[in-house]
Structure formats: C-alpha cells, structure tokens
Amino acid sequence: DAGVTQSPTHLIKTRGQHVTLRCSPISGHKSVSWYQQVLGQGPQFIFQYYEKEERGRGNFPDRFSARQFPNYSSELNVNALLLGDSALYLCASSLGDPTGTPYEQYFGPGTRLTVT
Amino acid sequence: DAKTTQPPSMDCAEGRAANLPCNHSTISGNEYVYWYRQIHSQGPQYIIHGLKNNETNEMASLIITEDRKSSTLILPHATLRDTAVYYCIVSRVNSGYSTLTFGKGTMLLVSP
C-alpha cells in the first residue's frame, strides 16, 4: 500500500518568493495535517484539515495557508519566504475525524525547503 | 498540555531489548500516549499508542503504569535499523482538532 506522498522532495527558493508544497494522503484517509521541522527540533503543528475544512491552526503567521481538495490531497502555501522558513515540511494523514480518539497520524517523507 | 519527559539519549546492544522510558505525570484520563520514531531526515514513523492497558504490535510493546503517569516502550530485539529519535507524545484534542506536540525525544543508538 502506498503511504503518504509529498512533492517535491527538495526545493530551493529565494527570500520573498512563494512556495507550494503538495501532499497525497493514504488512500481512504480524510484528514491531513502539516508540520514544520526546523533542524535540530521536533516537528511543529501548522494546520489540520478534515473533509476539506480547516479544523485547526498552529502558531504560524498568515503567510502560511493551506487547503484540502475533494480527493483529500492537500497543498501548503507559504508567501513572502523568509530565511527562517527553511525546514523540513511534513504532511501526515489520518483516517477519521480529528476529535475521535485514538487519532493516529501517518507521516510522509517530507519536503526539504531551503530559502536563500 | 500534558508534557512528557524522556532521557536525551540511550544506548542498546544489537539483539538486546531496548526499554525507553517516558514520564507524563499530568496526563488526563482520556488522553492517549503515542510513540513515534524518526530516522535521520525522514518523516516520523508511528509505532504504537495506548490508553491504560499494555499494548503490543509487530514493532514494539507499550507498558503503561497503573496510575498512567509513566510508560515504557520496549523494542524486544533491537537492530541497527532501530537507531533513531524516539518521541513519546500525549496527544492533545483541542476544539475540533488533534495535535501532536513533539518534544526532544530520546536518541537511541543501537550498536553491534
């Protein structure tokens, strides 16, 4: 079975540019979450979507946005890139409603974004 | 948030059991304990979760104390491929969503 897939694998952007990262969840999973992992730290929660609706947002500026499509895939957009946005961006998918317990999240391999 | 405390690093000989401890003394009655691991530069991998009973799957066993204030992840026969950072997480269910708050985890080094 295919796991969570993310594209691209690596990306280099310049300060001020914008970027779009893509995620395809495990087949049948209806919830997608996005995390940012800066070098040397654990992943930090950015967004969570379920059935195409935003269910939660972490402490990130409005430059970060996301959406989930009818096929449950998702995009993370970051505008006006800063050097500090350089990180591994992780997508995780889950089967059901985020308010259900337990709620297992399965991560993709991530997109490594470098901002120069 | 129910916070977790883990040792920063542990060593284990290949073939031996690796026992990774985690303290979560402020856990609430309906909060689950999840374990993930992350091999360098890869996405975190789900290992196991539990509420109050001990759990076992093909990867590991999870032992949760009766008072639920601590737990231990057991890898019964560690291999070199088990070298990774292991995260113990008490998942927080907010209003309408569920987050994983990753701490620093335990760096497990499995040696030949």
Side-chain angles (χ1 to χ4, degrees):
Chain A
D1 287 344
V4 178
T5 59
Q6 294 186 243
S7 63
T9 305
H10 295 87
L11 201 54
I12 299 175
K13 290 286 189 178
T14 304
R15 277 177 298 176
Q17 290 187 316
H18 77 274
V19 67
T20 298
L21 310 180
R22 295 177 175 83
C23 170
S24 292
I26 294 170
S27 178
H29 283 198
K30 299 181 179 180
S31 181
V32 167
S33 302
W34 287 94
Y35 290 79
Q36 179 198 65
Q37 186 172 24
V38 175
L39 198 61
Q41 298 182 20
Q44 274 195 294
F45 171 72
I46 310 175
F47 285 109
Q48 189 167 84
Y49 279 78
Y50 175 65
E51 289 280 16
K52 303 176 288 293
E53 290 186 0
E54 181 181 311
R55 283 296 196 91
R57 181 186 186 120
N59 188 23
F60 280 81
D62 292 342
R63 299 185 296 107
F64 289 76
S65 64
R67 55 180 175 169
Q68 187 178 32
F69 299 100
N71 66 353
Y72 303 111
S73 67
S74 179
E75 283 183 354
L76 176 70
N77 295 283
V78 187
N79 293 324
L81 285 167
L82 304 174
L83 295 178
D85 296 330
S86 295
L88 180 67
Y89 287 85
L90 296 159
C91 173
S93 81
S94 305
L95 183 61
D97 191 320
T99 57
T101 55
Y103 183 73
E104 302 145 37
Q105 298 186 40
Y106 297 89
F107 286 82
T111 292
R112 173 73 60 187
L113 173 65
T114 302
V115 182
T116 62
Chain B
D1 283 12
K3 296 188 177 180
T4 62
T5 303
Q6 299 177 254
S9 63
M10 294 184 65
D11 294 326
C12 180
E14 190 177 21
R16 305 297 292 268
N19 296 277
L20 291 89
C22 179
N23 288 320
H24 32 78
S25 59
T26 60
I27 192 170
S28 299
N30 62 348
E31 289 180 322
Y32 281 74
V33 178
Y34 295 81
W35 283 82
Y36 284 78
R37 72 180 182 183
Q38 189 171 26
I39 297 169
H40 182 63
S41 294
Q42 298 181 21
Q45 179 186 23
Y46 165 80
I47 301 174
I48 199 167
H49 72 269
L51 182 63
K52 59 177 81 172
N53 298 319
N54 299 338
E55 302 288 345
T56 295
N57 63 20
E58 64 278 4
M59 288 184 66
S61 295
L62 175 60
I63 309 297
I64 301 175
T65 58
E66 193 169 341
D67 62 9
R68 302 213 322 125
K69 293 184 177 182
S70 65
S71 60
T72 301
L73 179 74
I74 301 172
L75 307 179
H77 305 287
T79 70
L80 300 180
R81 288 178 296 178
D82 292 323
T83 292
V85 178
Y86 287 77
Y87 295 100
C88 169
I89 300 167
V90 174
S91 181
R92 179 183 183 186
V93 179
N94 306 284
S95 176
Y97 65 102
S98 178
T99 57
L100 296 172
T101 302
F102 288 80
K104 295 185 182 299
T106 295
M107 176 65 220
L108 175 67
L109 177 62
V110 181
S111 304

